[in-house]
Amino acid sequence: MGEQIGAVRRFNRVVTQRVGALEDAYLSRERSLGLSRLLWEIGPDGSEVRHLRTRLGPDSG
């Protein structure tokens, strides 16, 4: 089981690196993937922080 988990993690690292998901200019935008996702979740009408926390489930850090 541990070997399979390691294989999936290696695959995920390779894919995120190749698509540029961790770059500061994801998809040639001037923002990261994380910031882009947050803006998408907020949407044009806005959203309360507690709703964002529920939907996104961020860690306490």
Side-chain angles (χ1 to χ4, degrees):
M1 182 77 134
E3 192 174 309
Q4 291 174 333
I5 292 170
V8 169
R9 287 181 177 166
R10 283 189 300 277
F11 172 79
N12 287 342
R13 280 192 293 271
V14 167
V15 170
T16 55
Q17 183 180 34
R18 289 199 180 165
V19 301
L22 302 178
E23 300 293 323
D24 288 339
Y26 181 67
L27 294 177
S28 299
R29 307 273 182 179
E30 299 211 4
R31 56 181 149 318
S32 66
L33 174 61
L35 181 55
S36 296
R37 169 75 190 278
L38 181 60
L39 291 171
W40 183 83
E41 290 288 345
I42 291 171
D45 298 327
S47 181
E48 292 185 21
V49 172
R50 64 187 168 115
H51 294 289
L52 292 171
R53 291 183 72 162
T54 300
R55 283 201 310 257
L56 299 175
D59 61 20
S60 61

